[in-house]
């Protein structure tokens, strides 16, 4: 959404607000923790209990269904896999 001075009670100057707004949806994610110093906000994040558990099949399925349309799996695999040549039992490249 758009930011204005009334939304920025956390002490962000207008220049920072403008940078956030100019970045738009393609910019980096921004967390505004009004009322916390950076150290306090980091501690709150570090000590929070996540609500997501990888063993919770229902939530994993819902998260997968939600994010899957936004993920280019071919590109992800291309950028994260290493080019390791696999040798068969006789030493030839498989």
């Amino acid at each position: 959404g758009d930011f204005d001075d009334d939304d920025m009670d956390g002490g962000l100057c207008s220049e920072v607000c403008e940078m956030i707004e100019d970045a738009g949806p393609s910019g980096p994610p921004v967390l505004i923790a009004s009322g916390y110093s950076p150290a306090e906000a980091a501690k709150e994040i570090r000590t929070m209990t996540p609500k997501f558990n990888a063993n919770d099949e229902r939530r994993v399925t819902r998260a997968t269904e939600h994010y899957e349309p936004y993920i280019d799996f071919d590109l992800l695999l291309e950028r994260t896999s290493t080019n390791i040549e696999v040798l068969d039992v006789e030493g030839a490249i498989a």
Side-chain angles (χ1 to χ4, degrees):
D2 291 338
F3 296 100
D4 59 48
D5 290 333
D6 294 337
D7 295 331
M8 296 295 147
D9 296 334
L12 293 178
C13 67
S14 60
E15 290 85 4
V16 171
C17 294
E18 188 175 315
M19 285 189 287
I20 293 169
E21 194 170 296
D22 287 348
S26 63
V30 176
L31 171 68
I32 299 173
S34 297
Y36 291 94
S37 71
E40 292 168 333
K43 181 181 177 190
E44 290 291 323
I45 292 168
R46 190 175 55 254
T47 60
M48 71 179 279
T49 302
K51 303 284 189 254
F52 190 80
N53 179 330
N55 296 321
D56 184 337
E57 284 188 40
R58 184 179 66 80
R59 286 189 179 192
V60 169
T61 299
R62 290 187 68 199
T64 302
E65 290 170 351
H66 176 79
Y67 288 107
E68 193 171 33
Y70 303 101
I71 300 171
D72 182 340
F73 287 100
D74 292 330
L75 180 61
L76 180 64
L77 289 171
E78 177 185 315
R79 290 187 178 179
T80 58
S81 45
T82 57
N83 293 328
I84 299 174
E85 293 179 344
V86 178
L87 302 179
D88 66 15
V89 177
E90 297 176 8
I93 297 175

